[in-house]
Amino acid sequence: MKQSIIFLTLLFTLIFSVSFAQTEAVEHPLPMEGKDCAVCHAPGSTEEIPADPTAYQEWADSMHGLNSVKCVTCHGEESTFKADSNINICLSCHPTETTVINRKTESADYGLVCSACHKVHSFTVTKEAKPVHTK
Amino acid sequence: MDISRRNLIKTSLAASAAAAAGITLGCKKKETAQAPAEQAPASTAQAVSTQEVDKWVKGVCRMCGTGCSIYVGVKNGKMVAIKGNVDSKTNTRGFLCIKGMNIWKVAYHPDRLTTPLIRKNGKLEPASWDEALTLIETKFKEFHKKYGYDSVAYYGSGQCTTEESYTFNKIWKGGFGSNMMDGNPRLCMASAVAGYLSSLGSDEPAGAYEDIEKAKCIFLTGSNTSEAHPILFRRIARYKKENPDVKIIVCEPRKTQTSNIADLWMPSLPGTDLAIFNGMAREIIKNNWHDKEFISKHARFTSGDGSKASSFDEYIKFIDKYTPEYVEKVTGCPAASVKQAAEWFAKSGATMSLWCMGLNQRSNGVWANNLIHNLHVITGNFGKPGADSFSLTGQPNACGGVRETGSLSHLLPGCKPVAVEPWRKHVESYWKVAEHCINPTKAINPKPGFPAVKLFSILGGENEKDKPVKAIIISTTNPAQSLPNLNKFIPNMKNAFTVVIDIFPTRTAQLASVVLPAAFLYEKGGVYGCSERRSFLTQKAVEAPAGTKPDLWIACQIAKRMGLEKYIAWSNEEDIVKMAEMAWNDYIGCTANSEKTLAGATYKRLKESTTGVQWPCPSEDHPGTYKRYVRGMDPIFDNPAKYGLKIPADADMYFYGRPDGKVNVFMRDAEPKASEKISKEYPFLMTTGRVIEQWHTGTMTMRIPETASAHPNSYIEIHVNDAKKLGLTQGDMVRVESVRGVNILPVKIVNMTLEGVCFIPMHDQKGSRMVNFICSDVVDATSGEPDYKVSAVKITKVSGPEKVDDRYVVTKEELDNPTFS
Ligand code: SF4
């Protein structure tokens, strides 16, 4: 019973967050002036306006951080900037999971956002007994 | 404008997602719109969903030697996406790095060359294919007649397909009777080849990537795996995370991201790590941790110069000098770390060493390789799961295309030296050289040609009497940026009749007499063989742009025009896929009786396979080989006579490439005698290397917006204490100078390098930031590989910070102007 409640909640969250899946390029809030993301985003930034060091630290401590899957991989660079990444970016490296998700939701023309379960930016692997992308 | 409801929701939610992601925290509103950075056309900026792709076509990543396998997504005849192959044995579960996932975008960059160019009055003018090929034919024939067959050279690449390299090799060595051909693996892998040949008797590793997950100790040395082989690093990092007891030792001058997973980081001043390896051997034997049985069965102790056999006792005497304290003094690595590393290496149960350019690109690169093999022999770390001495290769097809096909100046297919008569005779007869060769000798020359650095130093114009090579055809590589000490070689390429095959304008194309626009990998297909002896077929996914041609087609046209139409049978074929298949079949037939046999890897099998095939693979029903030299695993044991080998019937393990079946344990001295030394005037040791977002000379990665933005320019990393001494602050511009050349670079002050050691990445094309102007062109005496990792430089401040993040690439317009500004 408990499990099915969790599953339903999860499913609801996923469907609710569906529109994020097709995130398009938006403007980066500030001109980047060619600076590396870490200049403003990393903890200890001495820039005038430091931005969200917590997210950066969570990323740095994650497997993405360890493996140098840096900001630009998911967020694009300034001209292709996406505030939120989408499932089709994740697809390149996580083909099994994303393909299964897409197959499950194809009929509704919905994609899903991985971060609904795998919290940005730590990307912890969900502890659910039955992750949604199990075949 | 018609905005559908769904799009409207998407757009507004994207904006709120930015807020949710915390991006706008504390930010003031953007006031001025920035000029957009130069980037690939908009169509490449969008990710495409799986549902929108017409087909996924199997292939391999075009970049590093990891050999990640992929699927290219095609829609309306254009590439639109890449995803990892979940069946892969290399990039397990389909992981890719930022380069692999974006590689398709370069195909649609507006800088693509789409017409042949011929230099007329200093300018590269558009020409037809017929005109360009006729000129090449005329010049080649003229030079052959006037200056001999060795006056026309070929310089290939570990990025050409195996079919292409094999074809050029066959044309030169058997068709022209000339060994004046080499390839860029000479600049990265030659020391590993010579190391394997001299120690084990046969090139390439005994084991495979799957040893990673079976090892109990992993020794990473001379490799910043996290950036140079990111997906292998991911494998190691994941394995370490799940198995914290596995020991990871990292030995390199810089404390890079790779050492984040290490139990032990062993620093070493550039050029000195051989002392560490000998020191570890001494500790192992002193503590009685060596494997006596393995040594008695499989080791042959050999003098330092390789001239005579020696004994275990002599070896013990030889390494006695390398006490931990002595090693600390020479290398900067703490004595305690040498002892600890020795213990883990010997006692963990299964140790795998992985190394790359840090060992190979050295004046004593071959010896460095030998000393790693030594450690594996004395500890018995060969032949069992998780135990191997494994050289990582830098390019996707350096192993398969160049080492295995023997496309270097001293080798023949099967990676056997041209000087070895029985094999040369075999190749001559297989190729029917006596019948087809246009050289009156009607034979393959038993004398090796010249390795890259020597080759480019004797290349020159017709009026240069001391430079006997007058013409060169350069395929899929950029020596005018990648050779060391560039000031020495640039004029030679400019003065000679230089033909360049590439997809983009490059530094080398700027010097060319003729430029031929090539097709991209996914526009032609072909086989790549990665570091772990695995060959994998990339299938043609899309049509090549009008005006471009695959290198294989170009090779065939040259063959035909030079009178080798019958000799290169596939030169009469129209379809590029069919041509490649015929070339492959010819190749696997030629090497079927060598230990590198891929006779079982037919094109049909490669087309169907989602994992590729590891040699030796003697027949179609053979699964391919995970581990060499072990009976029951290595098919060579089943029929050694077929390969011209003798293996005792009772030997479970046998290094059959060596006459006595035993691995050489060399007494190699550690001192880098030929390397450049620091002096009062040039007090810093400079080393070079890669960053994760870029690859080689940046011709592709500097044209992908994401990778270009992450590393838009080169810089010099120096230690915080050195910066203080020089009065430098972050971003200051400095002049970095060796006796050979100068760079002007921004400073990156770090505490992860050793004091007195600085590092410059190798990817920037801007003339004032091309590190190879500075690099030493001393080469390893055996392998001919340059000493990129050790140069002496001085550093002086030029100015405060300047904006240099220009993502510079050579443009089409600059092709007419060969000054490297
Ligand atoms: S690790 Fe190498 S082969 Fe794999 S995706 Fe990255 S560049 Fe390509």
Side-chain angles (χ1 to χ4, degrees):
Chain A
M1 180 64 191
K2 192 177 159 213
Q3 273 204 350
S4 60
I5 289 174
I6 293 170
F7 182 68
L8 281 173
T9 317
L10 200 60
L11 199 63
F12 180 75
T13 322
L14 290 175
I15 291 169
F16 182 73
S17 48
V18 66
S19 314
F20 288 20
Q22 298 297 324
T23 308
E24 285 169 355
V26 293
E27 210 176 4
H28 188 268
L30 281 177
M32 289 175 69
E33 294 162 348
K35 284 185 217 137
D36 187 65
C37 311
V39 173
C40 295
H41 288 272
S45 167
T46 53
E47 289 293 299
E48 194 190 342
I49 307 162
D52 202 9
T54 318
Y56 190 96
Q57 192 57 52
E58 281 175 2
W59 166 82
D61 295 339
S62 73
M63 280 306 269
H64 275 183
L66 181 64
N67 290 309
S68 305
V69 182
K70 297 186 196 164
C71 313
V72 67
T73 314
C74 308
H75 292 289
E77 54 107 46
E78 189 170 17
S79 70
T80 56
F81 177 71
K82 301 169 272 304
D84 201 0
S85 189
N86 70 44
I87 197 164
N88 296 309
I89 295 280
C90 307
L91 165 78
S92 294
C93 299
H94 303 276
T96 319
E97 297 80 359
T98 44
T99 305
V100 173
I101 294 261
N102 265 330
R103 199 168 52 235
K104 285 190 175 182
T105 56
E106 246 168 42
S107 53
D109 187 26
Y110 285 150
L112 288 170
V113 62
C114 304
S115 54
C117 296
H118 304 277
K119 182 178 172 300
V120 290
H121 287 90
S122 59
F123 302 103
T124 41
V125 175
T126 177
K127 291 282 183 279
E128 284 307 312
K130 202 169 180 292
V132 284
H133 43 62
T134 306
K135 279 183 198 175
Chain B
M1 196 201 284
D2 179 19
I3 301 175
S4 73
R5 186 178 163 270
R6 187 164 172 249
N7 275 338
L8 195 63
I9 292 172
K10 275 191 324 198
T11 316
S12 57
L13 271 166
S16 59
I23 302 289
T24 54
L25 268 186
C27 288
K28 63 183 174 193
K29 191 87 190 97
K30 188 170 185 169
E31 278 152 16
T32 46
Q34 261 203 316
E38 199 178 314
Q39 55 165 306
S43 60
T44 62
Q46 280 298 319
V48 172
S49 86
T50 43
Q51 301 96 317
E52 291 172 29
V53 166
D54 296 336
K55 59 176 178 179
W56 290 100
V57 184
K58 191 164 56 79
V60 181
C61 174
R62 170 69 182 73
M63 302 274 183
C64 87
T66 303
C68 294
S69 77
I70 56 162
Y71 284 94
V72 179
V74 178
K75 184 177 167 66
N76 298 331
K78 290 259 180 262
M79 291 182 267
V80 291
I82 275 182
K83 66 174 180 179
N85 166 12
V86 294
D87 298 331
S88 175
K89 303 274 192 215
T90 50
N91 49 329
T92 41
R93 295 180 56 204
F95 288 100
L96 298 175
C97 82
I98 185 168
K99 299 185 292 294
M101 62 191 276
N102 286 296
I103 181 65
W104 61 275
K105 294 178 183 174
V106 306
Y108 302 113
H109 194 280
D111 284 353
R112 272 299 286 271
L113 298 168
T114 51
T115 179
L117 304 166
I118 295 177
R119 198 171 294 277
K120 292 175 185 160
N121 302 321
K123 288 188 74 159
L124 278 170
E125 307 275 5
S128 70
W129 274 98
D130 185 53
E131 206 182 333
L133 290 166
T134 305
L135 177 63
I136 294 168
E137 174 192 343
T138 313
K139 287 282 184 188
F140 281 14
K141 283 182 175 165
E142 181 192 329
F143 292 153
H144 275 169
K145 212 168 144 195
K146 252 167 110 177
Y147 306 107
Y149 288 86
D150 281 348
S151 67
V152 175
Y154 167 81
Y155 186 65
S157 161
Q159 299 153 65
C160 292
T161 66
T162 301
E163 299 89 319
E164 289 163 352
S165 291
Y166 175 75
T167 303
F168 274 116
N169 198 17
K170 185 173 177 182
I171 294 172
W172 251 255
K173 295 202 177 118
F176 298 164
S178 169
N179 296 332
M180 206 52 78
M181 59 168 293
D182 213 53
N184 65 5
R186 180 71 68 183
L187 309 180
C188 60
M189 298 315 305
S191 297
V193 177
Y196 277 121
L197 282 172
S198 53
S199 287
L200 277 72
S202 168
D203 187 25
E204 296 198 36
Y209 295 156
E210 63 180 281
D211 282 314
I212 290 171
E213 286 90 0
K214 293 170 180 157
K216 301 280 182 268
C217 171
I218 295 179
F219 184 50
L220 293 162
T221 179
S223 159
N224 176 9
T225 325
S226 67
E227 302 205 59
H229 296 86
I231 293 304
L232 276 188
F233 177 77
R234 194 213 71 84
R235 260 177 97 154
I236 301 167
R238 168 62 67 184
Y239 177 57
K240 168 72 177 167
K241 199 175 157 82
E242 286 164 4
N243 302 275
D245 293 342
V246 170
K247 300 294 182 218
I248 312 270
I249 308 166
V250 173
C251 176
E252 56 169 350
R254 301 159 63 229
K255 199 170 183 186
T256 64
Q257 177 88 349
T258 305
S259 59
N260 283 356
I261 59 165
D263 296 279
L264 178 65
W265 172 57
M266 307 173 79
S268 65
L269 287 164
T272 65
D273 47 12
L274 282 83
I276 293 181
F277 309 148
N278 275 341
M280 284 167 67
R282 181 188 179 276
E283 255 332 89
I284 288 164
I285 293 169
K286 203 179 113 258
N287 288 292
N288 213 12
W289 295 328
H290 53 294
D291 186 332
K292 292 159 203 81
E293 194 190 339
F294 194 94
I295 290 172
S296 75
K297 275 188 179 164
H298 304 294
R300 175 200 195 258
F301 293 91
T302 306
S303 62
D305 60 4
S307 65
K308 53 181 188 291
S310 187
S311 65
F312 188 39
D313 291 339
E314 286 297 316
Y315 177 69
I316 293 171
K317 264 192 234 159
F318 164 75
I319 53 171
D320 199 45
K321 157 178 156 191
Y322 297 93
T323 62
E325 294 69 30
Y326 171 81
V327 173
E328 175 168 338
K329 207 171 111 210
V330 174
T331 67
C333 178
S337 300
V338 177
K339 293 181 187 175
Q340 182 63 84
E343 183 177 357
W344 285 343
F345 195 109
K347 290 176 71 184
S348 295
T351 296
M352 182 178 197
S353 297
L354 297 124
W355 69 94
C356 197
M357 299 317 145
L359 295 199
N360 298 340
Q361 290 176 334
R362 298 269 295 279
S363 67
N364 50 2
V366 178
W367 289 23
N369 275 261
N370 293 141
L371 295 192
I372 296 289
H373 299 313
N374 281 4
L375 286 170
H376 282 264
V377 179
I378 63 168
T379 57
N381 271 303
F382 268 123
K384 58 186 178 187
D388 198 31
S389 73
F390 193 101
S391 140
L392 294 167
T393 191
Q395 296 184 90
N397 199 28
C399 284
V402 179
R403 288 159 76 169
E404 290 157 29
T405 68
S407 299
L408 291 170
S409 60
H410 64 303
L411 295 174
L412 285 171
C415 198
K416 293 191 198 290
V418 285
V420 174
E421 189 171 343
W423 189 255
R424 192 176 67 250
K425 293 284 165 216
H426 156 73
V427 178
E428 275 177 358
S429 116
Y430 183 85
W431 283 349
K432 299 196 174 71
V433 173
E435 185 182 325
H436 297 290
C437 185
I438 60 167
N439 186 324
T441 60
K442 296 279 175 197
I444 295 172
N445 190 343
K447 237 181 93 198
F450 292 130
V453 174
K454 178 88 193 281
L455 175 63
F456 281 98
S457 66
I458 56 153
L459 173 73
E462 287 204 70
N463 54 355
E464 296 178 281
K465 292 224 159 41
D466 56 335
K467 295 183 178 157
V469 177
K470 305 296 180 192
I472 191 163
I473 178 158
I474 299 169
S475 170
T476 327
T477 185
N478 190 9
Q481 190 178 339
S482 58
L483 285 169
N485 191 9
L486 285 168
N487 281 320
K488 188 165 155 185
F489 303 108
I490 286 171
N492 296 3
M493 281 178 256
K494 201 172 151 192
N495 295 340
F497 178 72
T498 300
V499 181
V500 171
I501 307 175
D502 212 308
I503 67 167
F504 287 128
T506 63
R507 286 298 182 191
T508 313
Q510 277 185 295
L511 307 171
S513 313
V514 179
V515 178
L516 302 176
F520 194 52
L521 178 63
Y522 311 108
E523 297 161 353
K524 60 184 181 185
V527 180
Y528 272 9
C530 71
S531 301
E532 62 158 359
R533 298 177 281 107
R534 186 181 298 278
S535 286
F536 196 100
L537 176 69
T538 293
Q539 289 181 288
K540 180 177 166 180
V542 292
E543 290 302 324
T548 67
K549 295 287 183 190
D551 296 42
L552 186 58
W553 182 88
I554 296 168
C556 287
Q557 298 314 304
I558 293 172
K560 269 176 152 173
R561 286 165 180 266
M562 298 302 288
L564 297 168
E565 186 171 339
K566 288 205 185 106
Y567 176 63
I568 303 293
W570 47 102
S571 63
N572 299 307
E573 186 53 55
E574 297 281 305
D575 175 31
I576 189 67
V577 177
K578 189 84 192 118
M579 277 166 117
E581 180 168 356
M582 287 171 77
W584 177 261
N585 288 342
D586 198 58
Y587 163 56
I588 62 174
C590 185
T591 54
N593 293 343
S594 82
E595 77 271 13
K596 309 247 175 320
T597 179
L598 276 160
T602 58
Y603 236 55
K604 180 172 170 286
R605 179 169 173 188
L606 289 175
K607 271 182 200 157
E608 286 161 7
S609 169
T610 55
T611 58
V613 178
Q614 282 174 298
W615 61 262
C617 178
S619 57
E620 274 203 82
D621 57 0
H622 190 277
T625 302
Y626 147 56
K627 193 86 62 186
R628 302 169 71 197
Y629 309 123
V630 179
R631 191 180 293 277
M633 288 182 159
D634 184 339
I636 303 298
F637 282 74
D638 302 338
N639 189 1
K642 183 180 166 199
Y643 309 99
L645 301 167
K646 282 196 193 109
I647 301 178
D650 60 349
D652 289 335
M653 192 178 182
Y654 198 76
F655 294 88
Y656 45 69
R658 297 256 323 121
D660 58 0
K662 294 182 175 188
V663 185
N664 270 319
V665 177
F666 285 106
M667 300 181 208
R668 304 286 208 201
D669 196 41
E671 210 204 320
K673 291 190 185 73
S675 286
E676 194 169 42
K677 306 281 183 301
I678 52 168
S679 62
K680 233 175 154 186
E681 198 182 348
Y682 299 98
F684 288 94
L685 275 175
M686 186 206 72
T687 185
T688 61
R690 288 182 180 175
V691 300
I692 187 170
E693 296 89 358
Q694 293 285 342
W695 200 71
H696 276 202
T697 56
T699 55
M700 292 179 288
T701 40
M702 205 55 98
R703 288 182 169 93
I704 300 170
E706 288 78 8
T707 50
S709 79
H711 180 86
N713 59 275
S714 204
Y715 47 78
I716 178 166
E717 265 180 22
I718 66 170
H719 191 272
V720 59
N721 293 346
D722 292 325
K724 263 190 213 138
K725 279 182 222 154
L726 294 167
L728 299 171
T729 52
Q730 202 70 271
D732 280 352
M733 299 299 291
V734 293
R735 181 182 167 90
V736 186
E737 190 172 356
S738 73
V739 287
R740 293 161 295 275
V742 179
N743 273 194
I744 307 290
L745 296 162
V747 161
K748 195 170 167 186
I749 299 169
V750 297
N751 54 14
M752 41 71 86
T753 190
L754 297 176
E755 271 189 74
V757 176
C758 56
F759 167 81
I760 305 176
M762 60 187 238
H763 315 286
D764 202 327
Q765 297 173 39
K766 184 84 180 166
S768 58
R769 302 191 300 255
M770 274 165 58
V771 68
N772 287 17
F773 278 114
I774 303 177
C775 284
S776 161
D777 61 337
V778 166
V779 297
D780 181 291
T782 310
S783 69
E785 181 161 343
D787 197 15
Y788 291 104
K789 300 296 183 190
V790 189
S791 299
V793 299
K794 62 179 166 191
I795 302 169
T796 42
K797 182 169 168 171
V798 174
S799 70
E802 269 176 29
K803 204 164 159 47
V804 290
D805 57 324
D806 50 17
R807 309 179 189 185
Y808 177 81
V809 288
V810 175
T811 60
K812 284 182 191 164
E813 292 68 39
E814 284 170 292
L815 285 180
D816 292 336
N817 177 15
T819 52
F820 285 21
S821 52

